[in-house]
């Protein structure tokens, strides 16, 4: 009994601390609902600056972000749905390869694709230069890719896998039986798609689009590099260029509201999806056979399906590899190793802490389910939806207060010079990733196993350590890899919160690309792509094992 009570208190404490970490960071970034403005000693200049921005740049931030979201939302919905329908309802040469290859753009950070295409497609790039030499044309052959339309295309080709993955799952596990019935009744393939497949996959499309838009709004690398005046770029400009933290907090408040609305839309869309049990899925997968494409058209379908893979993964990787091999002025390998070690160290520490917290929180929710634990878990899941810029504001606002208090200055130095604040930001964002993987592992452990263990006298901490933890090992390893790669690629929070002389691969790639040193930026960018392949291969392995 004492052991059970002790484990209950420890798990509750870990859950409460993690949930409080996420909630505190969100609230600290919300000065419009707090008194941070007064505590920060906001002067008349900062107070008037927000009014001046409201009449000048804020409308531009709002409209640019709106058009960016509309463009990305429409295109990822079309591209993700089309590719999912292609691999689920048609059979053609190379279909098995294409099914997992369509996930490869998930390994490409959007800002890395932006660097590659800018170097390749700009006026002085090799493509336009070669075409002008061949055809004798003068001037630019197409608009500059560093624009709003260029950002929309970059986000589309890197984020469409969110929609593709969810729609493919919905079509196989939810729409298989109606589509098979329509086929037996003589409905054409076009009618099966327009009247059954896409309407039934609508919640999956909405959920995937919401996830893609949250990633779009949270991005800083593409917006900054392309000069797109989004809310995230405005937050950093207000803090770093204008030295107006209160104004940055106000912008972060607006962005946080929009992201929360998108998160609610994603949750509602996910709640509308219904899936069959695994045994039923297997029977339906056997029953539904994709229609064989007519002779000669199969290769055309393969070419269409391969196009997003080429534009979202193969071509950017080839451009970066070419730039690396053709530029003799690359940085020394000693510097690359140092930057890589910084990235690996931060990613390893954060991944270990996040998985440990996720295991404790999952145990609390499984062994002692209460209303409080359920709400704490929801708050922790909220962390992944909070953009990195908002997390930065939520951490730096209280730190700016402690600098004015002499007794708290050692605490400020500890947080800012040792990377503790950066790990804090990572945990706020990515503990939810680990928790989702652990929760999926718990979903596969039947409740009858817990009841049988308690009957044999195994309960509390012993039940978790002897029964649950060995069964959760695959989910814990998957969570560790996912968090590790997410931290490796994270840019907005790392760019501001990193200690001196602690640059990571993501930060170095951004700085070198910003300075037009694409040859040097290619090496850290390719390293990030290589690490990004880890969760993609893991996801493909899990899908093959499942089906």
């Amino acid at each position: 009994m004492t052991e059970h009570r002790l484990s209950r208190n420890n798990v509750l404490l870990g859950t409460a601390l993690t949930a409080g970490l996420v909630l505190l960071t969100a609230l600290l970034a919300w000065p419009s609902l707090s008194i941070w403005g007064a505590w920060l000693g906001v002067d008349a200049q900062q107070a008037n600056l927000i009014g001046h921005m409201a009449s000048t740049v804020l409308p531009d931030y709002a409209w640019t972000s709106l058009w960016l979201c509309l463009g990305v939302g429409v295109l990822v919905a079309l591209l993700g749905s089309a590719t999912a329908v292609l691999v689920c309802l048609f059979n053609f040469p190379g279909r098995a390869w294409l099914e997992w290859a369509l996930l490869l753009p998930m390994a490409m950070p959007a800002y890395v694709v932006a660097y590659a295409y800018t170097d390749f497609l700009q006026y002085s790039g090799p493509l336009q230069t070669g075409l002008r030499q061949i055809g004798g044309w003068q001037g630019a052959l197409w608009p500059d890719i560093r624009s709003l339309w260029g950002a929309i295309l970059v986000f589309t080709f890197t984020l469409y896998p969110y929609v593709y993955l969810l729609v493919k799952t919905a079509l196989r596990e939810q729409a298989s039986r109606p589509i098979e019935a329509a086929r037996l009744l003589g409905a054409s393939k076009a009618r099966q798609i327009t009247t059954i497949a896409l309407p039934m996959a609508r919640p999956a499309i909405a959920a995937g689009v919401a996830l893609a838009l949250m990633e779009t709004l949270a991005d800083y690398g593409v917006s900054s590099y392309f000069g797109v005046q989004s809310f995230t770029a405005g937050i950093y400009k207000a803090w770093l260029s204008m030295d107006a933290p209160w104004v940055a907090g106000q912008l972060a408040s607006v962005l946080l509201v929009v992201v929360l609305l998108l998160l609610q839309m994603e949750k509602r869309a996910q709640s509308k999806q219904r899936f069959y049990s695994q045994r039923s899925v297997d029977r339906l997968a056997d029953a539904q056979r994709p229609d064989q494409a007519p002779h000669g058209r199969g290769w055309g379908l393969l070419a269409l399906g391969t196009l997003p893979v080429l534009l979202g993964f193969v071509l950017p990787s080839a451009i970066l590899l070419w730039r690396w091999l053709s530029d003799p002025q690359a940085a020394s390998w000693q510097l690359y190793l140092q930057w890589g070690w910084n990235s690996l160290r931060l990613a390893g520490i954060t991944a270990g802490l996040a998985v440990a917290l996720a295991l404790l929180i999952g145990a609390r929710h499984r062994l002692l389910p209460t209303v409080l634990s359920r709400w704490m878990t929801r708050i922790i899941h909220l962390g992944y939806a909070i953009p990195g810029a908002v997390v930065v504001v939520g951490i730096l606002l209280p730190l700016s207060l402690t600098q004015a208090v002499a007794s708290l200055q050692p605490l400020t130095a500890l947080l800012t010079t040792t990377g503790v604040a950066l790990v804090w930001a990572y945990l706020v964002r990515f503990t939810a990733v680990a928790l989702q993987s652990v929760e999926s592992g718990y979903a596969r452990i039947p409740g009858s196993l817990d009841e049988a263990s308690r009957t044999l006298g195994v309960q509390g901490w012993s039940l978790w350590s002897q029964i649950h933890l060995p069964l959760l090992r695959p989910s814990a390893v998957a969570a560790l890899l996912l968090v590790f790669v997410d931290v490796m690629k994270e840019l907005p929070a790392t760019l501001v919160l990193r200690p001196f002389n602690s640059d990571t691969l993501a930060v170095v790639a951004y700085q070198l690309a910003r300075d037009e040193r694409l040859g040097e930026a290619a090496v850290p960018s390719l390293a990030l792509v290589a690490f990004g392949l880890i969760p993609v291969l893991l996801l493909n392995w899990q899908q093959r094992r499942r089906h």
Side-chain angles (χ1 to χ4, degrees):
M1 182 64 68
T2 303
E3 180 191 14
H4 179 66
R5 187 179 296 110
L6 180 61
S7 63
R8 173 174 180 168
N9 293 335
N10 289 338
V11 173
L12 178 60
L13 178 61
T15 308
L17 286 176
T18 309
L21 197 69
V22 176
L23 187 59
L24 177 64
T25 305
L27 290 179
L28 291 177
W30 211 315
S32 58
L33 298 181
S34 63
I35 57 174
W36 281 112
W39 284 6
L40 286 171
V42 178
D43 52 20
Q45 183 179 2
Q46 285 199 53
N48 293 330
L49 182 58
I50 190 68
H52 176 69
M53 293 179 66
S55 60
T56 54
V57 296
L58 280 185
D60 189 23
Y61 292 161
W63 281 110
T64 302
S65 299
L66 177 61
W67 284 114
L68 185 64
C69 289
L70 285 176
V72 173
V74 171
L75 290 180
V76 297
L78 292 175
L79 188 58
S81 302
T83 50
V85 168
L86 184 66
V87 299
C88 289
L89 302 184
F90 294 93
N91 192 15
F92 49 88
R95 172 177 164 271
W97 167 86
L98 182 63
E99 185 176 350
W100 70 265
L102 285 166
L103 296 173
L104 289 177
M106 293 183 72
M108 298 289 297
Y111 53 84
V112 171
V113 178
Y115 306 156
Y117 277 134
T118 298
D119 180 67
F120 188 66
L121 297 177
Q122 63 185 347
Y123 177 79
S124 59
L127 183 59
Q128 288 205 54
T129 301
L131 291 176
R132 285 195 299 269
Q133 292 175 352
I134 295 174
W137 294 296
Q138 300 295 326
L141 302 181
W142 47 73
D144 188 5
I145 190 174
R146 292 202 218 189
S147 59
L148 180 61
W149 73 268
I152 291 175
L153 291 180
V154 167
F155 284 126
T156 298
F157 287 116
T158 54
L159 298 179
Y160 80 87
Y162 284 106
V163 179
Y164 162 74
L165 190 60
L166 292 176
V167 172
K168 185 181 71 169
T169 304
L171 291 178
R172 286 187 169 170
E173 300 184 2
Q174 186 179 13
S176 298
R177 184 174 296 171
I179 291 175
E180 181 66 16
R183 187 185 67 83
L184 294 176
L185 292 174
S188 63
K189 182 59 69 175
R191 191 171 182 183
Q192 294 175 32
I193 295 173
T194 57
T195 62
I196 298 176
L198 293 181
M200 295 191 71
R202 193 177 302 154
I205 297 174
V209 169
L211 290 173
L213 294 184
M214 282 190 282
E215 291 289 337
T216 301
L217 289 174
D219 173 80
Y220 175 70
V222 177
S223 301
S224 175
Y225 189 63
F226 278 7
V228 176
Q229 299 301 312
S230 64
F231 264 103
T232 303
I235 291 171
Y236 282 92
K237 185 180 297 183
W239 190 290
L240 301 176
S241 301
M242 301 179 183
D243 193 24
W246 187 73
V247 176
Q250 295 290 324
L251 296 177
S253 301
V254 177
L255 181 59
L256 187 58
V257 170
V258 175
V259 170
L260 291 179
L261 291 176
L262 288 173
L263 180 64
Q264 183 63 24
M265 183 182 81
E266 189 267 341
K267 293 294 184 183
R268 291 190 62 181
Q270 290 279 18
S271 65
K272 293 180 180 179
Q273 298 186 66
R274 298 292 184 267
F275 300 108
Y276 298 101
S277 66
Q278 182 62 43
R279 187 173 299 176
S280 299
V281 170
D282 293 338
R283 287 200 302 265
L284 290 174
D286 293 337
Q288 183 193 3
R289 301 294 182 183
D291 291 347
Q292 183 67 39
H295 182 70
R297 295 185 182 179
W299 294 106
L301 293 178
L302 177 62
L304 288 176
T306 307
L307 189 61
V309 182
L310 292 175
L311 296 177
F313 180 80
V314 177
L315 184 57
S317 300
I319 293 172
L320 291 172
L321 185 60
W322 170 75
R323 287 293 299 176
W324 172 42
L325 296 176
S326 62
D327 193 341
Q329 299 179 353
S332 66
W333 283 105
Q334 183 177 359
L335 287 176
Y336 288 130
L337 291 176
Q338 180 182 350
W339 298 329
W341 167 246
N342 292 335
S343 299
L344 293 172
R345 176 170 51 87
L346 289 170
I349 293 173
T350 305
L353 292 175
V355 172
L357 289 171
L359 289 172
L360 288 175
I361 295 164
R364 161 71 189 183
H365 196 58
R366 176 64 175 251
L367 299 175
L368 304 166
T370 61
V371 176
L372 179 61
S373 67
R374 184 162 56 249
W375 276 101
M376 286 181 178
T377 304
R378 290 180 180 178
I379 292 173
I380 294 168
H381 280 297
L382 172 67
Y384 188 69
I386 301 177
V390 178
V391 175
V392 167
V393 172
I395 292 177
L396 290 183
L397 277 176
L399 289 182
S400 62
L401 292 177
T402 60
Q403 292 176 351
V405 182
S407 60
L408 295 178
Q409 287 181 357
L411 175 62
T412 305
L414 174 66
L415 293 175
T416 56
T417 61
T418 61
V420 175
L422 186 55
V423 175
W424 175 4
Y426 290 153
L427 289 176
V428 168
R429 289 213 65 205
F430 302 126
T431 301
V433 178
L435 182 57
Q436 185 174 10
S437 181
V438 170
E439 286 179 340
S440 66
Y442 264 118
R444 293 190 291 269
I445 301 177
S448 59
L449 188 62
D450 295 5
E451 298 174 0
S453 301
R454 293 190 182 98
T455 303
L456 296 174
V458 180
Q459 59 181 351
W461 185 261
S462 299
L463 173 61
W464 180 80
S465 60
Q466 298 178 20
I467 306 299
H468 290 174
L469 190 58
L471 295 175
L472 289 173
R473 188 172 291 113
S475 298
V477 172
L480 190 74
L481 292 175
L482 290 173
V483 176
F484 183 88
V485 174
D486 278 339
V487 173
M488 290 285 294
K489 297 189 298 183
E490 207 284 333
L491 177 63
T494 311
L495 193 63
V496 178
L497 296 175
R498 73 192 190 281
F500 290 110
N501 297 323
S502 297
D503 289 336
T504 64
L505 292 173
V507 171
V508 169
Y510 168 77
Q511 292 176 334
L512 292 176
R514 183 188 57 186
D515 296 338
E516 301 298 333
R517 298 158 65 184
L518 268 299
E520 297 176 61
V523 176
S525 299
L526 288 171
L528 292 174
V529 173
F531 280 108
L533 285 172
I534 296 175
V536 174
L537 297 177
L538 176 65
L539 184 60
N540 177 63
W541 175 77
Q542 288 179 337
Q543 285 189 325
R544 288 180 177 274
R545 184 180 180 184
R546 183 180 181 183
H547 295 290

